[in-house]
Amino acid sequence: MSTRTATPTGQAATGERSSLLKLYLIRGILAVVWALVFAGAHKDVDAVAITLLVVYPLIDAVSSLIDYRATPNGSERRIIAFNGVLSTLAAVAIGIAGAGGEAPVLHVFGAWAVISGAAQVVVGLRRRGPELGKQWPNLISGGLSFLVGITYNIQAAGENPSLDVLSVYATGGGVWFILQALLLGWKTRQLRTRTV
């Protein structure tokens, strides 16, 4: 996988790093909050649970839109746009699948986790230069999302599928986003120290 052809430098890199730091931090906090709320609201796949299930990929879709607008032209920008569309479609599909119970929801969520995880890995690889903090938390998060999504589809085909795993998924994703934000913050302070 090749890196971005034009690595951001100077003011452009600083602006992108600042935008990504805020985006990752907010995205991470929202994921953790969602996990806490969903953990106590999904005992039955009712209207509240389905609404929460639809909201989660929509958070990702909005994050992708913000990321797309803040990202300079580059190959990862198209992948971010693709992920935004994918997450929007996933929200619709999860809403429809909710009528069928836990197994269909887990199938759809798992498929979305696989594809969006792969997209996250590709974007992380494109951004892995030192200016954006190497992106290792996002690479790990995307890889785990890909693998976990596969297991969700296996679980959904079993006898007792459970949505309990989705709170764990969201918590893990949120923690990795927060770690990526902290890494970008540390990188920003490090660069400021060098210029003083």
Side-chain angles (χ1 to χ4, degrees):
M1 187 68 63
S2 61
T3 57
R4 175 188 305 179
T5 55
T7 302
T9 56
Q11 192 171 15
T14 300
E16 185 176 1
R17 194 164 47 247
S18 177
S19 296
L20 288 176
L21 189 157
K22 293 173 186 174
L23 177 62
Y24 291 153
L25 184 59
I26 293 170
R27 176 72 177 81
I29 291 170
L30 285 175
V32 172
V33 170
W34 183 92
L36 292 172
V37 174
F38 186 72
H42 74 280
K43 301 306 177 185
D44 299 307
V45 186
D46 56 13
V48 174
I50 293 173
T51 299
L52 287 169
L53 287 165
V54 168
V55 164
Y56 191 77
L58 286 179
I59 292 171
D60 196 64
V62 172
S63 297
S64 294
L65 175 61
I66 295 170
D67 196 358
Y68 178 84
R69 289 180 173 176
T71 301
N73 286 331
S75 57
E76 75 268 27
R77 202 163 189 249
R78 292 187 293 274
I79 300 167
I80 292 167
F82 165 78
N83 193 58
V85 173
L86 172 69
S87 296
T88 303
L89 293 175
V92 174
I94 288 172
I96 295 170
E102 294 183 339
V105 168
L106 207 54
H107 269 305
V108 174
F109 201 100
W112 172 61
V114 168
I115 301 171
S116 65
Q120 187 176 344
V121 168
V122 173
V123 171
L125 288 171
R126 300 286 181 175
R127 290 174 167 169
R128 71 181 182 271
E131 298 86 1
L132 298 177
K134 297 291 188 180
Q135 293 286 302
W136 64 263
N138 273 344
L139 290 170
I140 294 172
S141 177
L144 289 174
S145 177
F146 180 88
L147 294 174
V148 168
I150 294 173
T151 67
Y152 287 173
N153 276 284
I154 294 171
Q155 291 175 30
E159 293 183 3
N160 297 305
S162 172
L163 299 184
D164 292 343
V165 292
L166 300 187
S167 291
V168 178
Y169 175 89
T171 301
V175 169
W176 286 115
F177 272 117
I178 292 169
L179 285 174
Q180 185 64 68
L182 293 174
L183 184 61
L184 288 177
W186 173 80
K187 183 63 179 178
T188 299
R189 289 191 297 272
Q190 187 181 48
L191 291 174
R192 284 175 181 169
T193 301
R194 288 179 182 175
T195 57
V196 173

